[in-house]
Amino acid sequence: MAATLSQNLLLAVPLAPLVGALVAGLAGKAVGRRGAHTVTILGVLISFICSALVLKAVAMDGARFAGTIYEWAVVGGLKMEVGFLVDGLTAMMMCVVTFVSLMVHVYTIGYMEEDPGYQRFFSYISLFTFSMLMLVMSNNFLQLFFGWEAVGLVSYLLIGFWFKKPSAVFANMKAFLVNRVGDFGFILGIGLIVAYAGTLDYAEAFAKAPQLAAMSFPGQDWMLITVICICLFIGAMGKSAQFPLHVWLPDSMEGPTPISALIHAATMVTAGIFMVARMSPLFELSDTALNFVLVIGSITALFMGFLGIIQNDIKRVVAYSTLSQLGYMTVALGVSAYSVAVFHLMTHAFFKALLFLAAGSVIIGMHHDQDIRNMGGLRKYMPITWITSLLGSLALIGTPLFAGFYSKDSIIEAVHASHLPAAGFALFAVTAGVFVTAFYSFRMYFLVFHGEERFRHKPFPPEDDHAHDDHGHGHDATPHESPWVVTGPLLLLALPSVVIGFMTIGPMLYGDFFAGAIFVDAARHPAMAELAEEFHGAAAMAMHAFTTAPFWLALAGVVTAWVFYLKAPQIPAALDRSLKPLRTVLENKYYMDWFNENVLAAGARLVGTGLWKGGDVGLIDGAIVNGSAKTVGMLAGVLRRVQTGHLYWYALVMLLGIFGFMTWRLWPFFGGLAG
């Protein structure tokens, strides 16, 4: 029998960051800057230590927890409760979220050093950590939805952290509205589960999944389970930035770099991937939903990678990389390789947080100039940032033995083994994406750290007032390495970026680490079973990789970037001129923003204006409210003429009334006499 985890230990995981957030947020002035970062870092540190203890108990002792912590209401038989479900999937997510968050908290001390909103920022990121932990630890759909909306709310606050900056306000509103579209689908999916399964509890809903699969959607011949899964995945499309609901994520770079790392690496954007993996007992029953997931992920993986090629803002290059890698995770979900998807989620969290924080270190060293065309040769000025960026980039492109290699190659192999109709297109997308990823990653790396020192030919931007940059340091004209509170987290993140894949691929993909947490119908979806037959250990997998297409495509991408941007920069310049129409399409991000703003938003405004002027002003105010008032007023005006106030007039009216009444009543009698 599996050991049971302590309820108090589990409660400490989300509550410690919440306490830190409340102290820093509500008593920020009283505790000061040092107090704010001390209490929040201590809270996240406690949370990480507790999460590590939970992971050890789950992995070593087979410990599990599934139960109610507090039941706060019962409505029509539905239990509203706070409860935890802790298994291999949850324990892994808890450790990833808390470790990356801890690194971001420490990093923030240096990055936001002189920002006037220092305490507020620490409060927000700690609250963000609490929200994500509540999401991943939940055992019911209501708590899942609470965490889902909470990370959305705090991301809105963080993206628009510099609220005096118009572009930041626009970006956080854009993120908020796009996620409302996804969340509408998400709550419809939850509503259908509640309506037809009669429960909010995961275990009870999963037990009734076969019954849901046998039902049809009312009034249609659609499978109910397909509608439920697609609605749930629409929620994931918003949170995990899948096409076409991806448009908010690049603009979220308007927030400070630490939150870019936290949102894009370990928290908000991974929520959708985690949710679909958790819902695997439902998704396994609908091939239609899985094909839908597969196509959306494939489009995102390839076409968002193309956009990374033409970006010149260092943070936006990494942002489009995140979009592409989220597409890879979604593809893995689509071929029922849920364990591979969350494995890539884990490895990606480390090396993407590393790349974002390294980009922030470069921004500090360059005195807030984010344009990679103004950099070059930073290797000798920022050696720690250089080496950690190189390690992160090698992990990202799937270099054998690095963390990203094991997860990314496993995704490609799982797609190759899938029998779903959409698997052919997906295989092309994820394979071509290998070259694209390597090219834009090392384009950025070479332009930033090698070649000519272009910053010497361009004056540094003047100090700003926090509305346009991260904080105001005095500086000289030479780039410099960042302080230890910045470089320390880089080194600590670089370690798992290199070794975590090698250490964990066996138990996580081919062992029983996710037993009971992820369900796969191997008879219908045999991809993982086929991968297990071909797996002969992490070292053997790395050695075999040197003979596979993904390795050579990645190498080709690196070599192409080296030639284009270090040896023959005239080549990309010539291509840019000859492929101007294509570049225009990429620069306009496939015109998705134009379509959203000029078609969807304009259409919504047109409908709203019509309902306002025609429905509200014309029908309701004009005809019903004002019209009825005018009718009453008109009748009152007529009656007012009758009410003269003279007694003889009233007597005459009474006599005429009596005469008329008597005539009406006696007319049949006189008519009969006449007949």
Side-chain angles (χ1 to χ4, degrees):
M1 183 176 177
T4 302
L5 293 160
S6 165
Q7 181 174 304
N8 292 334
L9 177 66
L10 296 178
L11 275 170
V13 175
L15 291 183
L18 177 61
V19 170
L22 292 175
V23 172
L26 300 179
K29 289 186 178 179
V31 299
R33 288 172 171 251
R34 181 182 292 274
H37 72 234
T38 300
V39 71
T40 51
I41 290 173
L42 182 62
V44 177
L45 177 62
I46 292 170
S47 183
F48 171 63
I49 292 170
C50 293
S51 297
L53 293 173
V54 169
L55 179 63
K56 177 181 178 295
V58 168
M60 301 294 185
D61 306 327
R64 297 289 186 271
F65 184 93
T68 302
I69 303 298
Y70 176 67
E71 185 178 297
W72 52 275
V74 177
V75 181
L78 285 177
K79 294 180 180 179
M80 312 291 182
E81 62 185 31
V82 176
F84 294 150
L85 170 61
V86 180
D87 49 25
L89 178 59
T90 307
M92 182 274 291
M93 288 295 296
M94 288 162 61
C95 278
V96 169
V97 170
T98 52
F99 178 72
V100 173
S101 178
L102 179 61
M103 294 301 99
V104 169
H105 274 71
V106 174
Y107 179 95
T108 300
I109 295 173
Y111 200 84
M112 303 292 285
E113 183 181 354
E114 296 180 14
D115 194 280
Y118 190 85
Q119 292 98 313
R120 178 166 58 95
F121 189 81
F122 272 99
S123 175
Y124 286 172
I125 58 176
S126 207
L127 187 62
F128 200 95
T129 307
F130 159 76
S131 303
M132 188 66 186
L133 288 168
M134 288 297 285
L135 187 157
V136 301
M137 295 175 71
S138 63
N139 73 338
N140 63 86
F141 288 98
L142 185 62
Q143 186 176 324
L144 172 71
F145 191 71
F146 163 77
W148 194 268
E149 292 302 305
V151 293
L153 171 63
V154 185
S155 71
Y156 167 82
L157 296 172
L158 283 162
I159 294 168
F161 181 77
W162 290 312
F163 51 83
K164 295 181 181 179
K165 185 179 178 184
S167 58
V169 175
F170 176 82
N172 74 346
M173 185 58 67
K174 186 176 183 180
F176 193 80
L177 291 176
V178 171
N179 273 278
R180 296 291 67 73
V181 176
D183 292 354
F184 180 67
F186 188 54
I187 201 168
L188 285 178
I190 293 175
L192 287 170
I193 291 171
V194 172
Y196 290 95
T199 182
L200 285 165
D201 186 79
Y202 290 165
E204 293 176 12
F206 296 160
K208 295 183 179 180
Q211 296 170 237
L212 298 177
M215 298 181 189
S216 295
F217 191 75
Q220 303 290 336
D221 58 357
W222 307 333
M223 288 175 61
L224 177 63
I225 195 73
T226 297
V227 178
I228 290 173
C229 290
I230 289 178
C231 285
L232 291 175
F233 181 67
I234 289 172
M237 288 167 63
K239 275 289 178 290
S240 293
Q242 296 299 289
F243 177 88
L245 301 182
H246 66 280
V247 292
W248 67 269
L249 190 138
D251 291 299
S252 70
M253 294 297 98
E254 293 294 335
T257 298
I259 197 52
S260 300
L262 196 56
I263 290 178
H264 291 212
T267 53
M268 182 168 164
V269 296
T270 63
I273 308 299
F274 165 81
M275 183 272 293
V276 175
R278 177 60 81 196
M279 300 298 139
S280 58
L282 302 179
F283 279 84
E284 279 300 280
L285 298 174
S286 174
D287 280 6
T288 303
L290 289 174
N291 275 289
F292 179 72
V293 172
L294 188 53
V295 170
I296 294 296
S298 303
I299 293 171
T300 308
L302 182 59
F303 289 94
M304 296 306 107
F306 286 146
L307 294 180
I309 295 173
I310 56 102
Q311 300 300 315
N312 293 313
D313 183 311
I314 188 170
K315 285 171 65 177
R316 286 183 181 265
V317 177
V318 188
Y320 279 106
S321 165
T322 299
L323 279 172
S324 180
Q325 296 308 305
L326 288 166
Y328 273 85
M329 297 176 211
T330 305
V331 165
L333 296 171
V335 296
S336 296
Y338 306 98
S339 57
V340 180
V342 293
F343 182 51
H344 192 50
L345 182 159
M346 178 190 71
T347 61
H348 174 264
F350 294 121
F351 62 71
K352 188 52 59 69
L354 172 61
L355 286 171
F356 264 116
L357 297 185
S361 179
V362 169
I363 293 168
I364 293 173
M366 290 296 297
H367 314 293
H368 312 293
D369 187 350
Q370 298 182 191
D371 194 327
I372 59 177
R373 294 170 296 184
N374 299 332
M375 301 179 188
L378 295 185
R379 173 183 173 180
K380 67 180 181 180
Y381 300 103
M382 309 181 72
I384 298 175
T385 304
W386 160 70
I387 192 63
T388 51
S389 294
L390 177 59
L391 294 174
S393 299
L394 291 172
L396 171 61
I397 70 171
T399 307
L401 293 173
F402 282 72
F405 157 74
Y406 290 102
S407 52
K408 185 184 259 187
D409 268 39
S410 296
I411 292 173
I412 296 171
E413 290 302 316
V415 176
H416 189 264
S418 174
H419 299 161
L420 289 178
F425 169 63
L427 182 61
F428 166 75
V430 294
T431 306
V434 173
F435 174 85
V436 175
T437 302
F439 179 74
Y440 69 66
S441 298
F442 274 82
R443 168 183 177 265
M444 179 181 74
Y445 170 76
F446 289 135
L447 285 175
V448 171
F449 294 105
H450 293 272
E452 179 188 3
E453 297 179 358
R454 292 176 298 280
F455 55 84
R456 296 195 179 279
H457 308 305
K458 184 179 185 301
F460 283 101
E463 292 302 327
D464 212 334
D465 60 354
H466 307 293
H468 295 88
D469 58 27
D470 291 0
H471 50 275
H473 283 303
H475 58 76
D476 56 24
T478 305
H480 55 81
E481 186 59 277
S482 302
W484 72 267
V485 288
V486 171
T487 56
L490 294 182
L491 293 169
L492 289 172
L493 283 166
L495 184 62
S497 298
V498 176
V499 304
I500 197 74
F502 183 91
M503 294 170 58
T504 60
I505 183 171
M508 289 186 72
L509 298 194
Y510 309 110
D512 59 357
F513 184 79
F514 290 127
I518 290 174
F519 171 75
V520 178
D521 185 349
R524 295 174 58 210
H525 307 123
M528 286 307 297
E530 293 187 21
L531 260 64
E533 292 178 7
E534 298 173 2
F535 182 72
H536 302 293
M541 182 178 176
M543 292 304 103
H544 174 68
F546 292 103
T547 64
T548 61
F551 169 76
W552 292 104
L553 283 170
L555 182 61
V558 174
V559 171
T560 305
W562 177 74
V563 171
F564 277 22
Y565 296 101
L566 289 185
K567 294 300 176 184
Q570 69 274 14
I571 297 178
L575 288 173
D576 189 39
R577 290 191 296 271
S578 60
L579 299 175
K580 192 68 175 177
L582 177 59
R583 183 178 179 88
T584 301
V585 171
L586 294 177
E587 284 178 341
N588 286 279
K589 297 174 280 190
Y590 307 120
Y591 295 95
M592 288 299 299
D593 284 337
W594 178 90
F595 179 80
N596 289 333
E597 292 169 19
N598 296 285
V599 178
L600 292 182
R605 284 196 298 270
L606 189 63
V607 171
T609 302
L611 292 173
W612 164 43
K613 292 189 174 179
D616 189 21
V617 176
L619 179 62
I620 297 173
D621 284 349
I624 298 175
V625 178
N626 296 334
S628 60
K630 287 178 181 177
T631 302
V632 171
M634 183 178 66
L635 291 173
V638 173
L639 293 173
R640 192 182 300 117
R641 295 181 179 278
V642 177
Q643 302 295 330
T644 62
H646 296 117
L647 186 62
Y648 65 83
W649 170 251
Y650 295 141
L652 176 62
V653 170
M654 291 171 66
L655 290 172
L656 288 173
I658 293 170
F659 177 76
F661 177 75
M662 295 299 293
T663 301
W664 172 64
R665 295 298 296 173
L666 296 174
W667 183 258
F669 173 73
F670 289 115
L673 292 177

